[in-house]
Amino acid sequence: RRLFLIGVDGRPCSRKSTLTDNLMEKLGAEALFFDDFFIPQAAWPKDIKPALPFPYIRDAEFVQGVKKLSQGLAFQYQPFDWHSQKLGNTKVIKPNGIIIVEGVSVIREEIVSCFHKKILVVSNIDNEFEAICEREKNIGISNWKQLFLPSVELYWKTKPWERADILYAGRGITNKRRILPSLTKAYP
C-alpha cells in the first residue's frame, strides 16, 4: 500500500489520541505516538527546565523516525512503557499505508513537510489543567505545572494552527466557529 503520513497535533488532553484511535480503526492505519519517546524521569538532567524541543522527550530520535518514514524507510525504536517507567520492547513501523503521527508539537516547522495531511486538534485552554489532573489522577502534577505545560506554551507560540490543513474541534470546543478566534485571542 502507498504511504500516507498524517500529523495529529494539539495541546495536552485535547483528544488527539481519541481522534487518532478513531482514524486508526476506520482507516486501518498504524500510529507513531510522540509520547512513546518520553525519557524515563531518572534519566532527566538535574537542571531540566521548559524548552523546545521538549527536554523530556527523545526528540532527535522521534524526528529521525518521522523523516525516515517519509522517505519510505522502516523505523525501529523502543517506546516508553508507562507502567514500568522504562523503555519497552523494540517496535518497527514499516512505511506502508496510512501512518498517523500523534502528539504535541508533531506539525512543527522542522518536520511539517513530511506529512501529507496535518490536523490540529483545538481544545479549551481554560480548563486544560483540570482535564490533565483528571486524566493523570493528580499524579505527577508538579511536572505538569513546572515543566510540561510551560514547554507546551513555548511550542504554542509557534502558531501550529498556521501549519495545519485541518482544525479539528477537540475537548471543550462545542461551536466550530470559535476554533480560530480562540487560538488568535490567546496567541495574537
Side-chain angles (χ1 to χ4, degrees), residues 17-70:
S17 296
T18 301
L19 175 61
T20 297
D21 290 344
N22 289 337
L23 289 172
M24 288 172 62
E25 183 180 326
K26 299 281 186 204
L27 303 174
E30 188 164 4
L32 177 66
F33 294 96
F34 186 61
D35 288 351
D36 281 351
F37 295 86
F38 193 78
I39 297 170
Q41 192 167 349
W44 289 0
K46 292 193 186 311
D47 61 346
I48 195 168
K49 60 185 176 197
L52 191 59
F54 303 152
Y56 44 87
I57 294 287
R58 300 181 331 259
D59 196 73
E61 182 182 356
F62 170 78
V63 167
Q64 176 191 31
V66 172
K67 288 181 177 180
K68 276 184 148 185
L69 289 168
S70 74

Side-chain angles (χ1 to χ4, degrees), residues 70-163:
S70 74
Q71 295 164 359
L73 302 170
F75 175 52
Q76 179 176 311
Y77 66 102
Q78 283 184 275
F80 182 75
D81 182 318
W82 291 94
H83 296 289
S84 70
Q85 295 290 301
K86 297 177 182 174
L87 297 185
N89 296 327
T90 299
K91 183 175 179 179
V92 177
I93 295 187
K94 296 180 181 174
N96 301 323
I98 300 169
I99 300 173
I100 302 166
V101 180
E102 183 268 357
V104 178
S105 82
V106 302
I107 63 169
R108 67 180 95 159
E109 198 65 43
E110 182 180 11
I111 54 176
V112 71
S113 64
C114 294
F115 299 108
H116 297 92
K117 278 291 175 213
K118 299 157 299 283
I119 302 170
L120 183 73
V121 180
V122 180
S123 57
N124 182 347
I125 297 172
D126 295 337
N127 63 2
E128 178 178 76
F129 188 69
E130 290 80 12
I132 291 167
C133 290
E134 184 178 325
R135 182 186 71 186
E136 303 295 323
K137 298 178 179 34
N138 287 319
I139 297 170
I141 295 304
S142 63
N143 283 334
W144 278 98
K145 284 182 179 177
Q146 298 165 11
L147 182 61
F148 304 153
L149 284 175
S151 294
V152 169
E153 287 302 323
L154 292 172
Y155 172 64
W156 216 245
K157 288 178 181 176
T158 72
K159 301 181 179 182
W161 55 90
E162 293 179 352
R163 295 183 293 277

